[in-house]
Amino acid sequence: MGGGEAKKSGGNPGKSGRGGKKKEVKKETGLGLTNKKDENFGEWYSEVVVNGEMIEYYDISGCYILRPWAMTIWEIMQKFFDAEIKKMKIKNCYFPLFVSPTVLQKEKDHIEGFAPEVAWVTKSGESDLEVPIAIRPTSETVMYPYYSKWIRGHRDLPLKLNQWCNVVRWEFSHPTPFIRSREFLWQEGHTAFATKEEADTEVLEILELYRRIYEEFLAIPVIKGKKSELEKFAGGYYTTSVEAFIPNTGRGIQGATSHCLGQNFAKMFEINFENEKGEKAMVWQNSWAYSSRTIGVMIMVHGDDKGLVLPPRVASVQVIVVPVPYKDADMQGIFDACNATVDTLCAAGIRAEADLRDNYSPGWKYSHWEMKGVPLRIEIGPKDFANNQVRAVRRDNVAKTDIPRAELVEKVNQILEDIQQSLFDAAKKKRDDCMHIARTWEEFVEALGQKKMILAPWCDEEEVEKDVKARTKGEMGAAKTLCSPFEQPELPEGTKCFASGKPATKWSYWGRSY
Amino acid sequence: MGGGEAKKSGGNPGKSGRGGKKKEVKKETGLGLTNKKDENFGEWYSEVVVNGEMIEYYDISGCYILRPWAMTIWEIMQKFFDAEIKKMKIKNCYFPLFVSPTVLQKEKDHIEGFAPEVAWVTKSGESDLEVPIAIRPTSETVMYPYYSKWIRGHRDLPLKLNQWCNVVRWEFSHPTPFIRSREFLWQEGHTAFATKEEADTEVLEILELYRRIYEEFLAIPVIKGKKSELEKFAGGYYTTSVEAFIPNTGRGIQGATSHCLGQNFAKMFEINFENEKGEKAMVWQNSWAYSSRTIGVMIMVHGDDKGLVLPPRVASVQVIVVPVPYKDADMQGIFDACNATVDTLCAAGIRAEADLRDNYSPGWKYSHWEMKGVPLRIEIGPKDFANNQVRAVRRDNVAKTDIPRAELVEKVNQILEDIQQSLFDAAKKKRDDCMHIARTWEEFVEALGQKKMILAPWCDEEEVEKDVKARTKGEMGAAKTLCSPFEQPELPEGTKCFASGKPATKWSYWGRSY
């Protein structure tokens, strides 16, 4: 058994608290969750993040404890992304958590976007600070005064920095673990270039890495596109994003963003350089980030009524090996086979553990590891042992395979790859089933009522988007643009905007969102 | 040239600012620093951290920007330590930055130790918070309410968690980059065990990792020992530490600490469990941490009047390759040789870069990379090129070696290992020269005046330590205990305490400290 984490759930696979009747019922039925994903999605989510041991609720609202089961996923993504940006010659740094108010307020649009959510430190010990100090909601204003200092000539460019850190946004809307929290972990990249072309290119290179995190690691299909003027980053030039969709709530969710800041911040922070001709010029800047929100999207998309479903590439335990004791069986032989199986898998780079605890039944263990979303379970009972084979059971579709011990690594690798692909395919099918093309206001409203993600021809006018928001305002929240996809369907001349009737200039995704 | 970082220093190797006369003088003399380590240590340090591009000063006092040159060192240590604790089955997690006041104040001694330095958030946006919220100065009180929740039975133990994060201590004493800053990066491990024995064992296992970070990575000799009651962690049971020494200031510096918390926090936070006999018992806890202070100690110990001196194991660039052009030389051939050299070294796992910039002279580049502390410089001029060799110049002692291209990897590895060892040996010799044994108060005072680290027989009474502090108070700061070393010299019966004349019970290191 590979560590103390599993043990922490103690006597009950489905519940972090103990005692009470609910526990007994759940134990008897073998069910770990009291809520069903399709019936009470919100409650299901709150329950599965806790029972899957990803999150513990914290005594300050909107703050959550990331337990090792979640942290490992974060670390796996971080390892990938960090290596990729290092290949791009982006370097890591660390800027302070605190910002002075004068600097924070330097870029007007930017601060207007963030001001209501900024947390302020006003005291240390018993003393009031002379000037209140802000906690970074993002680090543009923290960093750029120093970019101005460091960048003088064209040889100082490009300047490409990234940091892995925590940020704080004291939001008052409904907090949700991973998805909307007052403190979260992220990486933020901040780059400066001599030319717009270089900046444009990097925006898309980074966006592609974000797509890969979602599609290749988290097995979640995303749409790459450009945000509307209303939805772009406060103070930026344009914003690109990868957009995911949660079918159960019919809401889009911004997965990660790669912004071109243009020269707006450069102007405010005087980030100038002497170009090759000896002329004074202003830099072009980007900033880009993905956060621990990624993990929440993964849980929402793949989880089911038995608990988490982790894609193999990000699962800290990819294979859990469980001995199945029978009366009169050679238990030592079975235990040894379990350990040997783990050793063989680990030696091949597969993250495997055995659950050899003697105070839980195999059935309990199955439920426990299903709740935690381990992609593949290997059972070894007397018959398997006698036949020199193991039984593999997939978490995603319960498919069972008997694997001869000699083919263990090859077959397990195959199955894990297949699970990764199946999860993506299933998520994509579900997402695609929720997509709807609307050409008129009536079609739009009907599709919105059906919780669709709507692709509609649009005139790209800010007033029209505001108008759509106002007209769809209701209990469920208003519809807004999610993005204008880079992959545009054909837009025949004469196509009208679904909302304004004016000539449409692009296709855009619309929907409710997180 | 392997990245943009080097370019950021722009036209001047010795100064992050530009222009002015100082620049001209420094360029002519080839000197990069205006202060000398042995003459104005404090000013030298402030200058070298900036000119070596480790730190940029920030507009909030006590906060510093960690530039990539410093961040890489942090990451190299982190990679080592993180892998080691994972072998010990310690798992990473992330707890919130914020603590509510009731929880923070639960352990009385603990909060007394930290209260004056706690930063408080009292506002978000324009609104006052209902209750002020503290920023973690350390996370015992953040975490332990949840340890109480997670730990029920002996099977939930040990619980071993670690987090990499930032903490804030709003100190008002003289802030110093890396050494004493209001926000810093660290790891903090928090573990709970069923027995004192397990806790005791882990305290020392972790301390050994801290020793390895200092001695094997940073090439700094440290002394392992136990802190006095007065100097131990607030609220803990006992504290062990690795203690380094800065000869130039004659000050000891606590390098990292591994605390046994005993059952003090367990009592306050009710961290109980049912043991194997079915009885209720209290856990034994440890906490341990090292911080970005490590980097400051490294700079203080190894740096010289030409700038930083980085030990090879932590240097982000271990070898810098510089072409040396001459009139009529085959410059393309030399450039190709430089690139080939870098490729060969990198392929062998050596971190090498070439500085092929055409707007700087070789002399300028030498000064620049010396300032940044790169352990080994490789020069390739026409003669080297013709002889199919390179010239290697050590940063630490300027020793020069001509290396045939065929032996490149072998020789460079050898030299780097030798530099690593030489730095440690030199630092150890300097440190040892500052050690002094004092058996009487007179000897003690004299040695303190000579900025020594003093090993003295002590009665181990708190009142006596307080008395020593009071009697040595002065401009330079009072002397206190650094640690009682685990390696104790013989203490013949009848040996008296240097300060009180009472029977001595142990040897202890004393001195001024950071």
Side-chain angles (χ1 to χ4, degrees), chain B residues 309-326:
Chain B
V309 177
L310 303 183
R313 283 196 74 175
V314 293
S316 56
V317 177
Q318 297 173 309
V319 180
I320 186 73
V321 179
V322 179
V324 186
Y326 275 85

mmCIF file with all atom_site columns, all heavy atoms in Angstrom, chain B residues 309-326:
data_model
loop_
_atom_site.group_PDB
_atom_site.id
_atom_site.type_symbol
_atom_site.label_atom_id
_atom_site.label_alt_id
_atom_site.label_comp_id
_atom_site.label_asym_id
_atom_site.label_entity_id
_atom_site.label_seq_id
_atom_site.pdbx_PDB_ins_code
_atom_site.Cartn_x
_atom_site.Cartn_y
_atom_site.Cartn_z
_atom_site.occupancy
_atom_site.B_iso_or_equiv
_atom_site.pdbx_formal_charge
_atom_site.auth_seq_id
_atom_site.auth_comp_id
_atom_site.auth_asym_id
_atom_site.auth_atom_id
_atom_site.pdbx_PDB_model_num
ATOM 1   N N   . VAL B 1 309 ? 29.585 33.742 -6.737  1.00 0.00 ? 309 VAL B N   1
ATOM 2   C CA  . VAL B 1 309 ? 30.300 32.509 -7.068  1.00 0.00 ? 309 VAL B CA  1
ATOM 3   C C   . VAL B 1 309 ? 29.314 31.372 -6.818  1.00 0.00 ? 309 VAL B C   1
ATOM 4   O O   . VAL B 1 309 ? 28.963 31.094 -5.673  1.00 0.00 ? 309 VAL B O   1
ATOM 5   C CB  . VAL B 1 309 ? 31.560 32.327 -6.204  1.00 0.00 ? 309 VAL B CB  1
ATOM 6   C CG1 . VAL B 1 309 ? 32.241 31.003 -6.534  1.00 0.00 ? 309 VAL B CG1 1
ATOM 7   C CG2 . VAL B 1 309 ? 32.536 33.490 -6.413  1.00 0.00 ? 309 VAL B CG2 1
ATOM 8   N N   . LEU B 1 310 ? 28.834 30.754 -7.887  1.00 0.00 ? 310 LEU B N   1
ATOM 9   C CA  . LEU B 1 310 ? 27.813 29.719 -7.729  1.00 0.00 ? 310 LEU B CA  1
ATOM 10  C C   . LEU B 1 310 ? 28.441 28.326 -7.696  1.00 0.00 ? 310 LEU B C   1
ATOM 11  O O   . LEU B 1 310 ? 29.240 27.987 -8.574  1.00 0.00 ? 310 LEU B O   1
ATOM 12  C CB  . LEU B 1 310 ? 26.810 29.767 -8.889  1.00 0.00 ? 310 LEU B CB  1
ATOM 13  C CG  . LEU B 1 310 ? 26.082 31.095 -9.127  1.00 0.00 ? 310 LEU B CG  1
ATOM 14  C CD1 . LEU B 1 310 ? 25.081 30.924 -10.272 1.00 0.00 ? 310 LEU B CD1 1
ATOM 15  C CD2 . LEU B 1 310 ? 25.361 31.567 -7.876  1.00 0.00 ? 310 LEU B CD2 1
ATOM 16  N N   . PRO B 1 311 ? 28.067 27.518 -6.721  1.00 0.00 ? 311 PRO B N   1
ATOM 17  C CA  . PRO B 1 311 ? 28.510 26.120 -6.752  1.00 0.00 ? 311 PRO B CA  1
ATOM 18  C C   . PRO B 1 311 ? 27.900 25.435 -7.985  1.00 0.00 ? 311 PRO B C   1
ATOM 19  O O   . PRO B 1 311 ? 26.726 25.643 -8.299  1.00 0.00 ? 311 PRO B O   1
ATOM 20  C CB  . PRO B 1 311 ? 27.911 25.535 -5.463  1.00 0.00 ? 311 PRO B CB  1
ATOM 21  C CG  . PRO B 1 311 ? 27.633 26.718 -4.586  1.00 0.00 ? 311 PRO B CG  1
ATOM 22  C CD  . PRO B 1 311 ? 27.295 27.840 -5.520  1.00 0.00 ? 311 PRO B CD  1
ATOM 23  N N   . PRO B 1 312 ? 28.678 24.618 -8.688  1.00 0.00 ? 312 PRO B N   1
ATOM 24  C CA  . PRO B 1 312 ? 28.195 24.002 -9.934  1.00 0.00 ? 312 PRO B CA  1
ATOM 25  C C   . PRO B 1 312 ? 26.860 23.279 -9.797  1.00 0.00 ? 312 PRO B C   1
ATOM 26  O O   . PRO B 1 312 ? 26.033 23.348 -10.701 1.00 0.00 ? 312 PRO B O   1
ATOM 27  C CB  . PRO B 1 312 ? 29.333 23.030 -10.288 1.00 0.00 ? 312 PRO B CB  1
ATOM 28  C CG  . PRO B 1 312 ? 30.557 23.649 -9.701  1.00 0.00 ? 312 PRO B CG  1
ATOM 29  C CD  . PRO B 1 312 ? 30.112 24.326 -8.444  1.00 0.00 ? 312 PRO B CD  1
ATOM 30  N N   . ARG B 1 313 ? 26.638 22.590 -8.690  1.00 0.00 ? 313 ARG B N   1
ATOM 31  C CA  . ARG B 1 313 ? 25.411 21.798 -8.589  1.00 0.00 ? 313 ARG B CA  1
ATOM 32  C C   . ARG B 1 313 ? 24.139 22.638 -8.621  1.00 0.00 ? 313 ARG B C   1
ATOM 33  O O   . ARG B 1 313 ? 23.066 22.118 -8.933  1.00 0.00 ? 313 ARG B O   1
ATOM 34  C CB  . ARG B 1 313 ? 25.408 20.951 -7.303  1.00 0.00 ? 313 ARG B CB  1
ATOM 35  C CG  . ARG B 1 313 ? 26.306 19.734 -7.456  1.00 0.00 ? 313 ARG B CG  1
ATOM 36  C CD  . ARG B 1 313 ? 26.042 18.700 -6.400  1.00 0.00 ? 313 ARG B CD  1
ATOM 37  N NE  . ARG B 1 313 ? 24.817 17.959 -6.591  1.00 0.00 ? 313 ARG B NE  1
ATOM 38  C CZ  . ARG B 1 313 ? 24.453 16.929 -5.823  1.00 0.00 ? 313 ARG B CZ  1
ATOM 39  N NH1 . ARG B 1 313 ? 25.213 16.565 -4.825  1.00 0.00 ? 313 ARG B NH1 1
ATOM 40  N NH2 . ARG B 1 313 ? 23.318 16.296 -6.055  1.00 0.00 ? 313 ARG B NH2 1
ATOM 41  N N   . VAL B 1 314 ? 24.213 23.912 -8.252  1.00 0.00 ? 314 VAL B N   1
ATOM 42  C CA  . VAL B 1 314 ? 23.004 24.735 -8.266  1.00 0.00 ? 314 VAL B CA  1
ATOM 43  C C   . VAL B 1 314 ? 23.021 25.824 -9.339  1.00 0.00 ? 314 VAL B C   1
ATOM 44  O O   . VAL B 1 314 ? 22.050 26.576 -9.478  1.00 0.00 ? 314 VAL B O   1
ATOM 45  C CB  . VAL B 1 314 ? 22.726 25.396 -6.888  1.00 0.00 ? 314 VAL B CB  1
ATOM 46  C CG1 . VAL B 1 314 ? 22.382 24.341 -5.850  1.00 0.00 ? 314 VAL B CG1 1
ATOM 47  C CG2 . VAL B 1 314 ? 23.893 26.258 -6.437  1.00 0.00 ? 314 VAL B CG2 1
ATOM 48  N N   . ALA B 1 315 ? 24.117 25.912 -10.091 1.00 0.00 ? 315 ALA B N   1
ATOM 49  C CA  . ALA B 1 315 ? 24.218 26.977 -11.093 1.00 0.00 ? 315 ALA B CA  1
ATOM 50  C C   . ALA B 1 315 ? 23.338 26.658 -12.302 1.00 0.00 ? 315 ALA B C   1
ATOM 51  O O   . ALA B 1 315 ? 23.407 25.555 -12.836 1.00 0.00 ? 315 ALA B O   1
ATOM 52  C CB  . ALA B 1 315 ? 25.668 27.123 -11.539 1.00 0.00 ? 315 ALA B CB  1
ATOM 53  N N   . SER B 1 316 ? 22.519 27.626 -12.716 1.00 0.00 ? 316 SER B N   1
ATOM 54  C CA  . SER B 1 316 ? 21.673 27.341 -13.875 1.00 0.00 ? 316 SER B CA  1
ATOM 55  C C   . SER B 1 316 ? 22.514 27.271 -15.142 1.00 0.00 ? 316 SER B C   1
ATOM 56  O O   . SER B 1 316 ? 22.179 26.572 -16.080 1.00 0.00 ? 316 SER B O   1
ATOM 57  C CB  . SER B 1 316 ? 20.538 28.350 -14.018 1.00 0.00 ? 316 SER B CB  1
ATOM 58  O OG  . SER B 1 316 ? 21.022 29.649 -14.085 1.00 0.00 ? 316 SER B OG  1
ATOM 59  N N   . VAL B 1 317 ? 23.619 28.012 -15.183 1.00 0.00 ? 317 VAL B N   1
ATOM 60  C CA  . VAL B 1 317 ? 24.607 27.844 -16.249 1.00 0.00 ? 317 VAL B CA  1
ATOM 61  C C   . VAL B 1 317 ? 25.909 27.422 -15.570 1.00 0.00 ? 317 VAL B C   1
ATOM 62  O O   . VAL B 1 317 ? 26.469 28.183 -14.791 1.00 0.00 ? 317 VAL B O   1
ATOM 63  C CB  . VAL B 1 317 ? 24.806 29.154 -17.050 1.00 0.00 ? 317 VAL B CB  1
ATOM 64  C CG1 . VAL B 1 317 ? 25.897 28.966 -18.100 1.00 0.00 ? 317 VAL B CG1 1
ATOM 65  C CG2 . VAL B 1 317 ? 23.511 29.596 -17.696 1.00 0.00 ? 317 VAL B CG2 1
ATOM 66  N N   . GLN B 1 318 ? 26.364 26.221 -15.858 1.00 0.00 ? 318 GLN B N   1
ATOM 67  C CA  . GLN B 1 318 ? 27.594 25.731 -15.227 1.00 0.00 ? 318 GLN B CA  1
ATOM 68  C C   . GLN B 1 318 ? 28.818 26.116 -16.036 1.00 0.00 ? 318 GLN B C   1
ATOM 69  O O   . GLN B 1 318 ? 29.891 26.329 -15.488 1.00 0.00 ? 318 GLN B O   1
ATOM 70  C CB  . GLN B 1 318 ? 27.521 24.194 -15.095 1.00 0.00 ? 318 GLN B CB  1
ATOM 71  C CG  . GLN B 1 318 ? 26.380 23.733 -14.191 1.00 0.00 ? 318 GLN B CG  1
ATOM 72  C CD  . GLN B 1 318 ? 26.215 22.234 -14.192 1.00 0.00 ? 318 GLN B CD  1
ATOM 73  O OE1 . GLN B 1 318 ? 26.141 21.616 -15.246 1.00 0.00 ? 318 GLN B OE1 1
ATOM 74  N NE2 . GLN B 1 318 ? 26.132 21.637 -13.007 1.00 0.00 ? 318 GLN B NE2 1
ATOM 75  N N   . VAL B 1 319 ? 28.628 26.203 -17.336 1.00 0.00 ? 319 VAL B N   1
ATOM 76  C CA  . VAL B 1 319 ? 29.755 26.524 -18.229 1.00 0.00 ? 319 VAL B CA  1
ATOM 77  C C   . VAL B 1 319 ? 29.303 27.569 -19.239 1.00 0.00 ? 319 VAL B C   1
ATOM 78  O O   . VAL B 1 319 ? 28.295 27.379 -19.923 1.00 0.00 ? 319 VAL B O   1
ATOM 79  C CB  . VAL B 1 319 ? 30.227 25.272 -18.994 1.00 0.00 ? 319 VAL B CB  1
ATOM 80  C CG1 . VAL B 1 319 ? 31.384 25.627 -19.917 1.00 0.00 ? 319 VAL B CG1 1
ATOM 81  C CG2 . VAL B 1 319 ? 30.610 24.151 -18.037 1.00 0.00 ? 319 VAL B CG2 1
ATOM 82  N N   . ILE B 1 320 ? 30.041 28.667 -19.317 1.00 0.00 ? 320 ILE B N   1
ATOM 83  C CA  . ILE B 1 320 ? 29.742 29.675 -20.332 1.00 0.00 ? 320 ILE B CA  1
ATOM 84  C C   . ILE B 1 320 ? 30.883 29.654 -21.361 1.00 0.00 ? 320 ILE B C   1
ATOM 85  O O   . ILE B 1 320 ? 32.058 29.668 -21.002 1.00 0.00 ? 320 ILE B O   1
ATOM 86  C CB  . ILE B 1 320 ? 29.557 31.087 -19.721 1.00 0.00 ? 320 ILE B CB  1
ATOM 87  C CG1 . ILE B 1 320 ? 29.101 32.062 -20.787 1.00 0.00 ? 320 ILE B CG1 1
ATOM 88  C CG2 . ILE B 1 320 ? 30.814 31.580 -18.999 1.00 0.00 ? 320 ILE B CG2 1
ATOM 89  C CD1 . ILE B 1 320 ? 27.663 31.888 -21.210 1.00 0.00 ? 320 ILE B CD1 1
ATOM 90  N N   . VAL B 1 321 ? 30.500 29.547 -22.611 1.00 0.00 ? 321 VAL B N   1
ATOM 91  C CA  . VAL B 1 321 ? 31.496 29.436 -23.680 1.00 0.00 ? 321 VAL B CA  1
ATOM 92  C C   . VAL B 1 321 ? 31.592 30.790 -24.404 1.00 0.00 ? 321 VAL B C   1
ATOM 93  O O   . VAL B 1 321 ? 30.588 31.306 -24.895 1.00 0.00 ? 321 VAL B O   1
ATOM 94  C CB  . VAL B 1 321 ? 31.114 28.317 -24.664 1.00 0.00 ? 321 VAL B CB  1
ATOM 95  C CG1 . VAL B 1 321 ? 32.140 28.215 -25.788 1.00 0.00 ? 321 VAL B CG1 1
ATOM 96  C CG2 . VAL B 1 321 ? 30.974 26.983 -23.932 1.00 0.00 ? 321 VAL B CG2 1
ATOM 97  N N   . VAL B 1 322 ? 32.797 31.340 -24.442 1.00 0.00 ? 322 VAL B N   1
ATOM 98  C CA  . VAL B 1 322 ? 33.006 32.669 -25.029 1.00 0.00 ? 322 VAL B CA  1
ATOM 99  C C   . VAL B 1 322 ? 34.014 32.584 -26.177 1.00 0.00 ? 322 VAL B C   1
ATOM 100 O O   . VAL B 1 322 ? 35.149 32.133 -25.971 1.00 0.00 ? 322 VAL B O   1
ATOM 101 C CB  . VAL B 1 322 ? 33.517 33.661 -23.956 1.00 0.00 ? 322 VAL B CB  1
ATOM 102 C CG1 . VAL B 1 322 ? 33.768 35.044 -24.559 1.00 0.00 ? 322 VAL B CG1 1
ATOM 103 C CG2 . VAL B 1 322 ? 32.531 33.754 -22.794 1.00 0.00 ? 322 VAL B CG2 1
ATOM 104 N N   . PRO B 1 323 ? 33.614 33.020 -27.368 1.00 0.00 ? 323 PRO B N   1
ATOM 105 C CA  . PRO B 1 323 ? 34.575 33.059 -28.485 1.00 0.00 ? 323 PRO B CA  1
ATOM 106 C C   . PRO B 1 323 ? 35.516 34.255 -28.304 1.00 0.00 ? 323 PRO B C   1
ATOM 107 O O   . PRO B 1 323 ? 35.096 35.307 -27.819 1.00 0.00 ? 323 PRO B O   1
ATOM 108 C CB  . PRO B 1 323 ? 33.675 33.265 -29.703 1.00 0.00 ? 323 PRO B CB  1
ATOM 109 C CG  . PRO B 1 323 ? 32.455 33.972 -29.176 1.00 0.00 ? 323 PRO B CG  1
ATOM 110 C CD  . PRO B 1 323 ? 32.277 33.521 -27.740 1.00 0.00 ? 323 PRO B CD  1
ATOM 111 N N   . VAL B 1 324 ? 36.769 34.059 -28.681 1.00 0.00 ? 324 VAL B N   1
ATOM 112 C CA  . VAL B 1 324 ? 37.739 35.148 -28.553 1.00 0.00 ? 324 VAL B CA  1
ATOM 113 C C   . VAL B 1 324 ? 38.233 35.531 -29.944 1.00 0.00 ? 324 VAL B C   1
ATOM 114 O O   . VAL B 1 324 ? 39.118 34.872 -30.499 1.00 0.00 ? 324 VAL B O   1
ATOM 115 C CB  . VAL B 1 324 ? 38.924 34.726 -27.667 1.00 0.00 ? 324 VAL B CB  1
ATOM 116 C CG1 . VAL B 1 324 ? 39.855 35.920 -27.426 1.00 0.00 ? 324 VAL B CG1 1
ATOM 117 C CG2 . VAL B 1 324 ? 38.427 34.156 -26.342 1.00 0.00 ? 324 VAL B CG2 1
ATOM 118 N N   . PRO B 1 325 ? 37.648 36.559 -30.532 1.00 0.00 ? 325 PRO B N   1
ATOM 119 C CA  . PRO B 1 325 ? 37.995 36.919 -31.916 1.00 0.00 ? 325 PRO B CA  1
ATOM 120 C C   . PRO B 1 325 ? 39.357 37.609 -31.999 1.00 0.00 ? 325 PRO B C   1
ATOM 121 O O   . PRO B 1 325 ? 39.744 38.330 -31.083 1.00 0.00 ? 325 PRO B O   1
ATOM 122 C CB  . PRO B 1 325 ? 36.881 37.902 -32.302 1.00 0.00 ? 325 PRO B CB  1
ATOM 123 C CG  . PRO B 1 325 ? 36.309 38.421 -31.021 1.00 0.00 ? 325 PRO B CG  1
ATOM 124 C CD  . PRO B 1 325 ? 36.700 37.489 -29.903 1.00 0.00 ? 325 PRO B CD  1
ATOM 125 N N   . TYR B 1 326 ? 40.051 37.338 -33.040 1.00 0.00 ? 326 TYR B N   1
ATOM 126 C CA  . TYR B 1 326 ? 41.272 38.082 -33.377 1.00 0.00 ? 326 TYR B CA  1
ATOM 127 C C   . TYR B 1 326 ? 41.143 38.527 -34.822 1.00 0.00 ? 326 TYR B C   1
ATOM 128 O O   . TYR B 1 326 ? 40.422 37.911 -35.601 1.00 0.00 ? 326 TYR B O   1
ATOM 129 C CB  . TYR B 1 326 ? 42.513 37.201 -33.210 1.00 0.00 ? 326 TYR B CB  1
ATOM 130 C CG  . TYR B 1 326 ? 43.033 37.173 -31.811 1.00 0.00 ? 326 TYR B CG  1
ATOM 131 C CD1 . TYR B 1 326 ? 42.500 36.279 -30.886 1.00 0.00 ? 326 TYR B CD1 1
ATOM 132 C CD2 . TYR B 1 326 ? 44.047 38.051 -31.399 1.00 0.00 ? 326 TYR B CD2 1
ATOM 133 C CE1 . TYR B 1 326 ? 42.968 36.252 -29.586 1.00 0.00 ? 326 TYR B CE1 1
ATOM 134 C CE2 . TYR B 1 326 ? 44.519 38.021 -30.101 1.00 0.00 ? 326 TYR B CE2 1
ATOM 135 C CZ  . TYR B 1 326 ? 43.982 37.129 -29.195 1.00 0.00 ? 326 TYR B CZ  1
ATOM 136 O OH  . TYR B 1 326 ? 44.453 37.097 -27.910 1.00 0.00 ? 326 TYR B OH  1
#
